[in-house]
RNA sequence: GCCGGUGUGGCGGAAUUGGUAGACGCAGCGGAUUCAAAAUCCGCCGCUGUAAAAGGCGUGUCGGUUCGAGUCCGACCACCGGCACCA
């Protein structure tokens, strides 16, 4: 064989082989166990970035591993092709979003192919294809018929200069990112999907899926199930006339006697009514309507309020309570009003302290005393005080007693509440799937019939910064006879909520899904960024249940197992600029000098030799100019090296720091592996492996081989810690390299070790393993080889090493027979010279023997 | 602000169920090979200490549980992800 590792030839040949033999075309076969492996499909933003490479390498490693386990594997790929960046590019470069998107797809498809991923490309689609989104439109009309869709007023970010709706991302410090104008909150009618109808099932079914606990916890908290009481307060205007009762929800009815004021949202009807003859309040409401709608912005805003002059009557005492407007109460949330108990809620406490509202404790502290409220609220539940007949009751009893009293009076009921809100799916944008609805001359709202579908998006458009182009295209929106089309498009989360199902039967042009979906679903392993832990993953779960209830599929959950991969990060370098900003330099253009211990001293720009500042390690991004181009790395080292480095440098869930020298190390290992095989083949023909009559050295290498099979199988199959699997294979390769027994028996043991290395690595570095497997004389291609089988008998040992501790500190190591009994281990440990030194003059109080591990002698 | 996470040598990380802290790799240092360099191979490599041992210290900080804590508990600090129109 060629003594030199030539990655480019090898990779070209392997990829050609897989393509000619259609190795990765997945065919439904009820007699075989299926494995559906899916990585989150990319948004075609231009070029592949390192985050994609990491995501798709993980998926490919698992797919190829499962294939070697004998499973019928399906790994598809497609494009999440609708979204804002295409519109932004269109505004900047005067390119229609469709052609920009398709060009990007072509570029990125080529890049994916150069990485050798085992995709079934026959299932590929882009979500901007009408053949895809027509089914989404069709399904939406069915949901309308089912009563799972409705239209209601909702708040959006309004740019008063560009006259357009802005995404939260486009609101920077309360201003429009293009116009710089102060953003206003504006109410417009929008389409909603009733995800809240499924809140309970979305919560309960988390028990049945194999997801990271942290993701499940985030989803649970997002759904936010709580048990509380909904109650109403009578209200009066400042002149004493009765108004509509004010309804609130509380999870702490036990604190009811401590309510000292009420707070309503700025857009609550009560607030609006109070503002009609109160200009100062009107100004405050206008101030509250400024800025973005995002919860992060609202929650970090300075908490402000103003009295309405109206009052509420306490349902039990009849006491008059002032009603405030507060900028932290949201109309979207619950009833848009809260009862405030400043003694036992920190936010209420801060508000009351600021505005001089009374703070009255009604819950005792842990010692049963009146809590100290000088520096904050006392939020822990406890026994009631200052609450009349309810005094002394604990949280549970008080909850029930007060709820029962309110219920008797017809003023309130126990209620289960969810934090989850319905899903607003309408966007006032062009580059998305048109919402299939029309409006009649008498104000009718009618979902389109099957015959009227699909509503194709017109592709030749001029996009500018002022609103949706569809609104300005009568040829699209005007249907004649006074009928007009809806010009809003779907949230792009709609497309990504069911694409995994469409991959099962992407070629069906007469139905959304067919029985093939039931063969492949659920996805056995789904891989993607942790940033999708809530929204995308929750919407996809919801959509799955909708499709199930409509009879399209049978599965309850889309993704049985989930792997959330970490970010790819890299060092940043900059120079301060004259205007106080920073000019960022790409790590590829910077050289770092180090001291004699390898610590970085300083960095210089290669181009001019002048120093640059080190800005710390950050997520790879355009803004910090610290992105490393995957293509440049593939062109330099080959795909296998890039894949190996990405899998080796960190476990998949953690962030991965890019390191050029780490990549070189990975490349070096592949060269060494190549040479290992070449030298082994040159050493002669191995004989038969006689596992019963091996020398000690042969037995030791063979044990290492099978220990490695054991570890790598567990690491890849169960733990998905590819880094430790690779480390184990490196150890085995190092051991095989040191092994210089060239007898026919020795060569047989070496052959087994080397073939094991090649097979265990083949999911990770498939090209080089394809070539090496063939060099090792196998007719069958590596891609069709089975995963190595573990021989338990090869793991047996005669002696094992134990450590001896004295008071928990390591003092000696012992080599003992594997079957040694406790007494002999204890006496060997006691008699060890160094142990004796530490026992000298002390009394042995206890000896702990952990079989196979250690002995701890406790002395005093 | 709220929800979730992370923190171990000069660096990436390993230690899977409470039981040897630092596997594997990178960087660095020393040597071999070479006319020389690259490549390759061999050795050393937490801090401190010693002639060499022994020993002491050490997993963000402070405290606790335990024969034994990177791992469990409490408080704190720093950083990261998400917060419903970025995808």
């Amino acid at each position: 064989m060629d003594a030199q590792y030539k990655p480019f030839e090898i990779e070209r040949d392997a990829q050609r082989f897989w393509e000619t033999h259609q190795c990765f075309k997945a065919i439904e076969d009820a007699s075989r166990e299926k494995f559906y492996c899916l990585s989150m499909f990319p948004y075609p933003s231009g070029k592949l970035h390192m985050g994609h490479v990491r995501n798709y390498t993980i998926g490919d490693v698992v797919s190829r591993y499962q294939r070697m386990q004998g499973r019928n594997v399906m790994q598809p790929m497609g494009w999440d092709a609708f979204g804002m960046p295409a519109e932004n590019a269109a505004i900047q470069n005067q390119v229609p979003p469709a052609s920009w998107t398709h060009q990007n797809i072509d570029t990125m498809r080529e890049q994916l192919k150069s990485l050798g991923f085992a995709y079934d490309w026959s299932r590929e689609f882009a979500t901007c294809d009408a053949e895809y989104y027509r089914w989404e439109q069709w399904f939406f009309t069915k949901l309308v018929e089912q009563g799972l869709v409705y239209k209601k007023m909702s708040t959006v970010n309004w740019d008063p200069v560009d006259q357009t709706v802005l995404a939260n991302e486009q609101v920077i410090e309360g201003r429009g990112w293009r116009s710089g104008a102060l953003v206003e909150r504006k109410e417009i009618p929008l389409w909603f999907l009733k995800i809240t109808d499924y809140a309970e099932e979305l919560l309960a079914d988390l028990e049945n899926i194999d997801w990271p606990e942290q993701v499940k916890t985030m989803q649970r908290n997002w759904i936010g199930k709580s048990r509380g009481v909904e109650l109403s307060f009578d209200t009066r205007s400042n002149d004493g006339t009765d108004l509509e009762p004010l309804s609130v929800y509380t999870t702490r009815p036990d604190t009811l006697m401590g309510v000292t004021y009420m707070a309503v949202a700025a857009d609550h009807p009560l607030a609006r009514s109070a503002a009609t003859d109160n200009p100062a309040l009107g100004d405050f409401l206008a101030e509250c309507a400024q800025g973005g709608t995002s919860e992060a912005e609202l929650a970090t805003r300075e908490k402000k309020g103003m009295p309405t002059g109206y009052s509420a009557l306490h349902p039990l005492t009849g006491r008059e309570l002032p009603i405030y407007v507060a900028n932290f109460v949201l109309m979207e949330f619950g009833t848009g009003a809260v009862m405030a108990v400043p003694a036992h809620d920190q936010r209420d406490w801060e508000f009351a302290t600021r505005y001089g509202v009374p703070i009255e404790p009604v819950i005792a502290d842990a010692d049963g005393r009146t809590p100290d409220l000088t520096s904050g609220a006392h939020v822990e539940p406890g026994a009631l005080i200052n609450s009349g007949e309810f005094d002394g009751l604990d949280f549970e009893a008080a909850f029930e007693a007060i709820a029962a009293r309110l219920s008797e009076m017809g003023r309130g009921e126990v209620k289960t509440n969810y934090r989850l809100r319905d899903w607003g799916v309408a966007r006032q944008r062009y580059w998305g799937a048109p919402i299939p609805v029309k409006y009649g001359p008498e104000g009718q709202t009618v979902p389109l019939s099957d015959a009227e579908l699909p509503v194709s998006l017109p592709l030749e458009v001029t996009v500018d910064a002022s609103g949706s182009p569809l609104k300005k295209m009568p040829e699209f929106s005007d249907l004649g006879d006074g009928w007009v089309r809806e010009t809003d498009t779907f949230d792009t989360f709609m497309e990504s909520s069911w694409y995994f199902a469409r991959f099962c039967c992407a070629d069906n042009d007469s139905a959304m899904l067919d029985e093939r979906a039931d063969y492949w679903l659920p996805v056995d392993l789904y891989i993607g960024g942790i940033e999708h832990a809530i929204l995308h993953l929750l919407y996809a779960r919801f959509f799955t249940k909708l499709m199930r209830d409509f009879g399209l599929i049978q599965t309850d959950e889309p993704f049985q197992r989930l792997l959330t991969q970490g970010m790819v990060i890299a060092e940043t370098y900059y120079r301060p600029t004259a205007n106080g900003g920073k000019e960022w330099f790409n790590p590829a253009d910077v050289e770092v000098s180090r001291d004699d211990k390898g610590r970085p001293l300083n960095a210089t720009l290669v181009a001019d030799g002048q120093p640059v500042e080190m800005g710390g390690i950050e997520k790879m991004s355009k803004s910090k100019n610290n992105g490393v181009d995957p293509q440049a790395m593939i062109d330099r080292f080959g795909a296998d090296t890039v894949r190996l480095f990405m899998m080796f440098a960190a476990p998949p869930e953690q962030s991965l720091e890019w390191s050029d020298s780490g990549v070189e190390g990975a490349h070096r290992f592949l060269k060494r592996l190549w040479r290992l095989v070449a030298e082994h083949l040159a050493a002669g023909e191995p004989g038969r492996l006689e596992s019963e009559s091996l020398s000690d050295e042969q037995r030791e290498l063979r044990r290492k081989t099978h220990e490695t099979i054991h570890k790598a199988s567990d690491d890849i199959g169960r733990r998905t810690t590819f880094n430790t699997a690779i480390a184990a294979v490196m150890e085995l390769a190092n051991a095989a390299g040191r092994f210089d027994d060239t007898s026919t028996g020795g060569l047989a043991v070496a052959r087994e070790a080397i073939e094991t290395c090649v097979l265990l690595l083949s999911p990770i570095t498939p090209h080089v393993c394809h070539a090496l497997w063939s060099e090792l004389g196998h007719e069958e291609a590596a891609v069709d080889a089975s995963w190595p089988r573990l021989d338990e008998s090869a793991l047996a040992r005669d002696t094992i090493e134990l450590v001896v501790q004295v008071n928990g500190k390591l003092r000696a190591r012992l080599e003992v027979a594997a079957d040694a009994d406790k007494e002999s281990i204890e006496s060997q440990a006691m008699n060890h010279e160094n142990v004796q030194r530490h026992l000298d003059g002390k009394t042995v109080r206890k000896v702990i023997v952990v079989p196979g591990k250690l002995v701890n002698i406790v002395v005093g």
Side-chain angles (χ1 to χ4, degrees):
Chain A
M1 77 185 263
D2 198 326
Q4 253 210 315
Y5 169 48
K6 294 178 175 154
F8 306 107
E9 288 171 28
I10 286 167
E11 291 177 8
R12 184 198 58 209
D13 292 349
Q15 287 169 14
R16 206 172 275 166
F17 179 91
W18 298 328
E19 195 162 345
T20 2
H21 292 81
Q22 300 252 313
C23 290
F24 307 121
K25 187 162 173 55
I27 297 164
E28 298 73 24
D29 178 350
S31 70
R32 293 178 63 203
E33 194 186 341
K34 63 92 184 178
F35 192 94
Y36 182 1
C37 185
L38 184 66
S39 294
M40 290 181 186
F41 64 165
Y43 178 79
S45 53
K47 293 195 293 184
L48 234 48
H49 57 67
M50 281 297 177
H52 292 129
V53 178
R54 189 178 195 198
N55 196 163
Y56 302 143
T57 303
I58 294 168
D60 202 48
V61 171
V62 172
S63 291
R64 288 172 179 271
Y65 168 80
Q66 291 294 342
R67 179 192 176 98
M68 292 177 84
Q69 296 287 332
R71 308 235 157 76
N72 187 22
V73 174
M74 196 253 284
Q75 190 185 204
M77 182 45 71
W79 311 95
D80 187 15
F82 278 137
M84 284 202 313
E87 294 190 18
N88 294 334
I91 295 168
Q92 240 170 34
N93 313 321
Q94 284 81 50
V95 215
S99 51
W100 182 84
T101 302
H102 282 112
Q103 269 174 30
N104 290 346
I105 288 175
D106 290 342
T107 307
M108 291 169 75
R109 187 193 298 108
E110 280 317 299
Q111 292 189 296
L112 289 176
K113 288 194 169 175
S114 77
L115 280 155
F117 296 134
Y119 293 137
D120 179 354
W121 283 105
S122 71
R123 293 170 188 264
E124 176 191 4
F125 59 78
T127 57
C128 61
D129 300 339
E131 296 74 41
Y132 179 78
Y133 65 72
R134 63 175 297 188
W135 298 113
E136 191 173 304
Q137 294 175 330
W138 171 82
F139 191 56
F140 180 82
T141 64
K142 302 302 155 199
L143 294 175
V144 174
E145 289 163 16
Q146 305 267 311
L148 286 160
V149 177
Y150 65 97
K151 213 171 182 187
K152 74 162 185 192
M153 296 301 282
S154 185
T155 314
V156 294
N157 302 305
W158 180 253
D159 186 319
V161 170
D162 281 348
Q163 292 285 298
T164 191
V165 175
L166 298 178
N168 285 336
E169 188 193 48
Q170 299 172 308
V171 179
I172 313 290
E173 287 168 14
R175 292 174 181 274
W177 69 348
R178 255 187 261 277
S179 69
L182 270 180
V183 169
E184 296 164 6
R185 291 158 60 81
K186 188 181 176 187
E187 298 248 299
I188 58 170
L190 292 178
W191 289 99
F192 282 84
L193 255 52
K194 282 191 188 170
I195 192 172
T196 52
D197 276 13
Y198 285 79
E200 189 58 44
E201 199 193 343
L202 287 167
L203 180 67
D205 282 356
L206 287 170
E207 302 300 326
N208 306 328
I209 46 182
D210 183 16
W211 285 19
E213 214 38 62
Q214 46 156 317
V215 176
K216 293 207 232 179
T217 304
M218 282 191 264
Q219 291 218 348
R220 272 186 208 110
N221 293 340
W222 186 262
I223 296 167
K225 184 178 184 177
S226 66
R227 183 169 176 269
V229 170
E230 188 166 280
L231 69 158
S232 68
F233 289 68
D234 283 334
T235 53
R236 279 188 199 147
S237 74
N238 26 10
D239 58 15
T241 44
D242 290 342
L243 301 165
E244 285 291 299
L246 185 58
S247 178
V248 301
Y249 174 82
T250 178
T251 57
R252 292 293 304 272
D254 58 315
T255 64
L256 183 62
M257 302 306 267
V259 176
T260 56
Y261 68 101
M262 306 292 286
V264 298
D267 31 12
H268 193 281
L270 263 180
R272 288 183 180 170
S273 141
T276 50
D277 53 2
N278 182 344
L281 186 61
D283 290 348
F284 180 64
L285 297 193
E287 187 194 322
C288 290
Q290 273 182 0
T293 57
S294 82
E295 200 191 317
E297 191 179 328
L298 293 167
T300 49
R301 196 174 278 180
E302 189 191 358
K303 286 164 193 59
K304 282 187 188 171
M306 188 175 274
T308 57
Y310 292 2
S311 52
L313 301 179
H314 194 286
L316 299 188
T317 63
R319 172 175 167 184
E320 232 177 278
L321 307 164
I323 302 177
Y324 280 78
V325 178
N327 65 353
F328 55 83
V329 180
L330 301 183
M331 204 56 216
E332 284 81 11
F333 236 101
T335 62
V338 296
M339 61 175 229
V341 185
H344 305 293
D345 179 280
Q346 186 60 24
R347 194 178 59 185
D348 295 347
W349 184 92
E350 282 161 23
F351 190 90
T353 305
R354 174 163 181 178
Y355 291 102
V357 187
I359 300 172
E360 295 172 8
V362 291
I363 304 291
D365 66 15
D367 305 322
R369 301 203 184 112
T370 300
D372 173 17
L373 300 171
T374 49
S375 58
H378 174 258
V379 296
E380 291 79 29
L384 270 64
I385 51 173
N386 305 327
S387 298
E389 59 181 298
F390 304 109
D391 276 356
L393 296 179
D394 66 8
F395 172 78
E396 317 282 337
F399 186 112
E400 301 308 329
I402 291 175
R405 172 60 46 81
L406 290 167
S407 178
E408 277 161 31
M409 299 169 69
R411 306 243 47 144
E413 290 300 334
V414 171
K415 196 184 165 198
T416 297
N417 222 25
Y418 298 89
R419 201 186 79 97
L420 182 68
R421 309 200 298 262
D422 277 335
W423 176 14
V425 294
R427 300 289 180 268
Q428 298 68 52
R429 277 184 240 297
Y430 160 72
W431 191 232
I435 296 181
V437 172
K438 61 184 178 183
Y439 302 101
E442 274 105 54
Q444 307 97 308
T445 299
V446 180
L448 300 183
S449 66
D450 292 4
E452 292 169 294
L453 294 176
V455 185
S456 297
L457 194 62
L459 297 183
E460 286 308 314
V461 287
T462 323
V463 187
D464 58 33
S466 64
S468 166
L470 292 179
K471 284 200 166 44
K472 298 173 235 164
M473 293 175 80
E475 66 273 29
F476 175 81
S477 59
D478 190 351
L479 297 171
D481 298 329
W483 286 82
V484 291
R485 246 193 242 289
E486 171 65 79
T487 55
D488 280 4
T489 53
F490 281 133
D491 177 3
T492 57
F493 275 127
M494 283 282 274
E495 286 84 59
S496 55
S497 290
W498 69 286
Y499 77 108
F500 51 88
R502 184 67 186 174
F503 273 139
C504 302
C505 48
D507 59 0
N508 192 329
D509 58 8
S510 60
M512 183 173 180
L513 298 174
D514 61 39
E515 68 288 346
R516 289 174 289 174
D518 286 324
Y519 174 76
W520 293 112
L521 292 176
V523 170
D524 294 274
L525 179 66
Y526 193 40
I527 305 135
I530 182 73
E531 67 272 19
H532 295 290
I534 295 174
L535 293 180
H536 162 58
L537 289 170
L538 190 66
Y539 292 144
R541 295 182 60 220
F542 167 51
F543 226 85
T544 299
K545 293 173 193 301
L546 290 175
M547 293 190 291
R548 176 203 61 194
D549 288 349
F550 197 69
L552 291 169
I553 49 172
Q554 292 181 25
T555 187
D556 292 326
E557 285 288 336
F559 314 121
Q560 188 53 43
R561 187 171 174 190
L562 176 72
L563 195 158
T564 51
Q565 120 244 0
M567 298 177 304
V568 182
I569 56 181
E571 190 65 64
T572 59
Y573 303 97
Y574 69 92
R575 278 180 194 157
T577 56
N579 61 13
K582 284 171 180 172
E583 184 186 6
W584 298 91
F585 298 99
N586 195 275
D589 304 324
V590 170
E591 203 170 76
V592 178
S593 66
R594 293 168 187 282
D595 70 7
D596 61 3
K597 294 219 163 169
R599 298 185 194 97
L601 284 174
N602 51 54
T604 50
L605 190 66
V606 175
D608 61 12
Q610 296 302 305
V612 291
E613 303 289 325
M614 290 187 265
I617 298 160
E618 305 252 13
K619 179 177 177 166
M620 281 190 182
S621 72
K622 271 187 191 155
S623 60
K624 298 273 169 74
N625 190 15
N626 64 338
V628 176
D629 182 11
Q631 198 58 54
M633 291 295 134
I634 297 166
D635 293 346
R636 198 164 145 210
F637 298 105
D640 280 336
T641 294
V642 175
R643 294 172 58 125
L644 180 64
F645 169 71
M646 295 232 105
M647 293 301 96
F648 180 59
E653 317 238 33
Q654 276 180 38
S655 59
L656 179 150
E657 189 185 327
W658 187 263
S659 149
D660 283 339
S661 52
V663 181
E664 282 166 35
H667 192 65
R668 234 175 354 242
F669 173 72
L670 292 181
K671 284 198 280 189
R672 213 157 58 226
L673 182 71
W674 187 271
R675 205 167 46 240
L676 179 66
V677 173
E679 282 168 8
H680 169 74
L681 289 175
E685 270 302 301
R688 245 183 68 101
L689 181 65
E690 305 283 355
S691 55
E692 297 309 310
S693 53
L694 300 177
S695 70
D696 284 353
E697 288 74 22
Q698 292 170 350
R699 213 148 66 93
E700 203 176 311
L701 180 60
R702 184 145 199 275
R703 187 192 308 122
K704 185 89 188 164
T705 299
H706 286 272
E707 281 172 352
T708 307
I709 294 171
H710 185 65
K711 174 147 181 66
S713 307
D714 189 45
D715 285 353
I716 297 178
R718 181 182 63 91
R719 298 210 302 154
T720 61
T721 54
F722 313 106
N723 56 327
T724 52
I726 294 166
V729 175
M730 284 175 170
E731 283 190 55
L732 178 59
N734 291 344
R738 279 191 302 269
F739 184 77
D740 54 4
D741 177 349
T742 52
S743 67
T744 54
L747 286 173
V749 173
R751 172 66 60 105
E752 188 192 22
I754 288 168
E755 292 199 343
T756 297
C757 288
V758 170
L759 288 180
L760 295 182
L761 282 173
S762 69
I764 297 161
T765 55
H767 309 88
V768 65
C769 293
H770 173 87
L772 291 175
W773 191 243
S774 152
E775 295 288 355
L776 284 159
H778 295 275
E779 293 283 319
E780 155 208 67
V783 73
D784 293 319
S786 293
W787 191 251
R789 287 258 311 276
L790 174 66
D791 179 355
E792 298 266 359
S793 68
L795 301 177
R797 285 171 183 276
D798 297 336
T799 63
I800 51 171
E801 193 191 68
L802 287 186
V803 301
V804 185
Q805 299 177 335
V806 178
N807 283 348
K809 285 189 186 279
L810 178 71
R811 296 304 178 192
R813 292 166 195 277
L814 287 183
E815 192 76 15
V816 301
D819 56 359
D821 60 24
K822 218 176 147 175
E823 286 71 32
S824 79
I825 289 171
E826 241 184 84
S827 71
Q828 280 188 68
M830 291 292 203
N831 291 328
H832 193 280
E833 189 195 340
N834 201 43
V835 172
Q836 279 294 320
R837 196 187 358 248
H838 288 93
L839 298 184
D840 189 36
K842 295 181 180 119
T843 318
V844 174
R845 308 225 179 261
K846 203 196 242 181
V847 179
I848 293 148
V849 179
V850 182
K853 290 253 160 92
L854 58 73
V855 181
N856 188 14
I857 303 165
V858 185
V859 297

